[in-house]
Amino acid sequence: MSRYLVTGGSGRLGRSVVDVLAEAGHDVVSVDRSPVAGLRAEQRQVDLLVPGAALDAVADIRPDGIVHLAAIAVPFSLPDPQIFAVNTTLAWVMREAALEIGVPSLLLASSPTVIGYGSPTGWVPSVLPIDERHPVAPWNGYALSKAAIESLVAMTVRQHGDRLRIAAFRPCYVIAPEEWAGTPTQQGHTIAERLADPELAAVSLFNYLDARDGGDFVLSWLRQAASVPNGGVFFVGAPDSLVREPVGQALARLVPEVADQARHLGDADAVFSSRLAEEVLGWRATRLWRDQLAERETEAGVA
Ligand SMILES: NC(=O)c1ccc[n+]([C@@H]2O[C@H](COP(=O)([O-])OP(=O)(O)OC[C@H]3O[C@@H](n4cnc5c(N)ncnc54)[C@H](O)[C@@H]3O)[C@@H](O)[C@H]2O)c1
């Protein structure tokens, strides 16, 4: 059994990460400024932006690994300079605390938005399916904060080598378990509405990730952090697209600049590839939207 500190454990991804780690028999401490009912972790209510708070928490908890999720998680939900400042500061103080206390591993949440899709001045992918070779080209404060976090990961390896095992992951549009059943997603609409109006998901190229698959990814990385190449960056998404029609057709209609390359995609393929995570860690998302919705419909029918 290991002891893990999860920042942002009360969040839509954090709750599933905590659950998966606890289910695997680990001792989990969630550090979040807001507590949440029913979390399978010891909860510490801490604002990590308060100077010294991150170091105090890590010094006291003495974890074997840290999963850093706490952030302003929605682009444009606050002014760009604030999102950039908060997200980079939070990542920085967690890295400093991990190094200072000698925590062996630190995994930080980045985002697929680092590659720049949706840019108002136009954007064309350099490779499709999009994988980690794609250039990083953020166009807003949120994406820039995540690009900076990925640079912080690389810088840490240059500074400290393998003293700290560190990586970043780019979770696709996170869907918490209750959201399959109709709870609104992070954008305020439901999954049913997202499927009914493909324009909503076209913005992020129909990517998605069941939060529990995100938890499985985190567990995979923590287990193997000491043996995989240090400083990794991984796309973490479902192997299909969150759209009812063939994805190439939906892209041609709604994201025409991608249409040419999208002709090579299979009807249900994902636009983002998580193959690196599969090759390096043996992780693959298993919860597909069609199955999740069918399960909920069956449950509703039975009830
Ligand atoms: N949700 C997605 O679709 C998505 C996609 C890509 C990346 N991400 C990233 O994954 C991570 C988790 O996202 P989420 O959707 O679970 O976000 P969320 O907003 O649901 O949860 C974030 C948590 O961080 C906590 N937090 C924020 N500031 C804090 C502070 N100063 N001190 C302590 N706790 C603080 C919040 O209270 C919240 O519980 C974030 O870093 C986000 O940017 C999320």
Side-chain angles (χ1 to χ4, degrees):
M1 182 179 83
S2 297
R3 182 166 166 82
Y4 292 126
L5 189 169
V6 179
T7 74
S10 300
R12 60 173 18 88
L13 178 55
R15 294 191 300 273
S16 285
V17 168
V18 165
D19 223 37
V20 168
L21 298 182
E23 186 63 32
H26 298 298
D27 179 17
V28 189
V29 183
S30 167
V31 176
D32 198 301
R33 63 180 174 197
S34 327
V36 68
L39 199 65
R40 293 174 69 183
E42 177 192 334
Q43 297 195 56
R44 306 259 179 120
Q45 191 170 355
V46 177
D47 184 345
L48 290 163
L49 287 176
V50 172
L55 185 58
D56 287 350
V58 176
D60 192 49
I61 295 165
R62 300 262 158 189
D64 300 306
I66 298 175
V67 182
H68 174 56
L69 307 175
I72 298 168
V74 180
F76 307 111
S77 57
L78 285 171
D80 258 3
Q82 199 175 337
I83 295 183
F84 181 78
V86 168
N87 289 357
T88 52
T89 301
L90 288 172
W92 190 276
V93 295
M94 293 313 299
R95 183 199 89 123
E96 291 305 289
L99 286 166
E100 173 85 24
I101 303 302
V103 178
S105 52
L106 170 62
L107 177 65
L108 302 106
S110 177
S111 160
T113 58
V114 294
I115 62 168
Y117 53 80
S119 162
T121 56
W123 174 85
V124 179
S126 66
V127 56
L128 210 73
I130 295 161
D131 62 21
E132 292 79 359
R133 290 170 298 174
H134 197 286
V136 168
W139 69 269
N140 57 61
Y142 174 80
L144 186 63
S145 76
K146 296 301 187 179
I149 287 168
E150 293 186 359
S151 289
L152 185 66
V153 167
M155 185 186 95
T156 303
V157 178
R158 286 194 289 274
Q159 282 181 334
H160 299 284
D162 288 344
R163 180 153 86 79
L164 175 65
R165 310 301 301 209
I166 188 166
F169 71 116
R170 300 169 172 171
C172 291
Y173 190 81
V174 172
I175 300 173
E178 66 276 11
E179 292 169 5
W180 296 117
T183 302
T185 65
Q186 57 154 291
Q187 300 290 340
H189 53 255
T190 64
I191 290 297
E193 287 162 348
R194 201 167 173 87
L195 283 164
D197 179 2
E199 217 161 316
L200 295 171
V203 183
S204 48
L205 307 176
F206 308 106
N207 74 34
Y208 77 102
L209 173 73
D210 185 302
R212 295 163 294 182
D213 281 329
D216 290 343
F217 169 86
V218 168
L219 179 63
S220 286
W221 185 82
L222 287 169
R223 278 187 174 146
Q224 300 174 77
S227 58
V228 299
N230 204 10
V233 174
F234 301 94
F235 276 113
V236 173
D240 61 347
S241 287
L242 188 62
V243 63
R244 289 193 191 277
E245 69 193 286
V247 65
Q249 180 184 307
L251 287 168
R253 197 159 44 80
L254 299 165
V255 197
E257 57 273 27
V258 177
D260 198 34
Q261 298 178 61
R263 279 186 290 115
H264 305 295
L265 288 176
D267 284 356
D269 280 356
V271 178
F272 293 81
S273 164
S274 297
R275 221 169 72 196
L276 186 67
E278 188 165 0
E279 283 169 6
V280 174
L281 299 166
W283 171 87
R284 184 180 166 85
T286 58
R287 295 166 180 93
L288 308 184
W289 69 265
R290 287 181 175 83
D291 301 335
Q292 293 305 314
L293 290 183
E295 276 174 32
R296 295 310 175 283
E297 277 159 22
T298 309
E299 283 165 17
V302 168

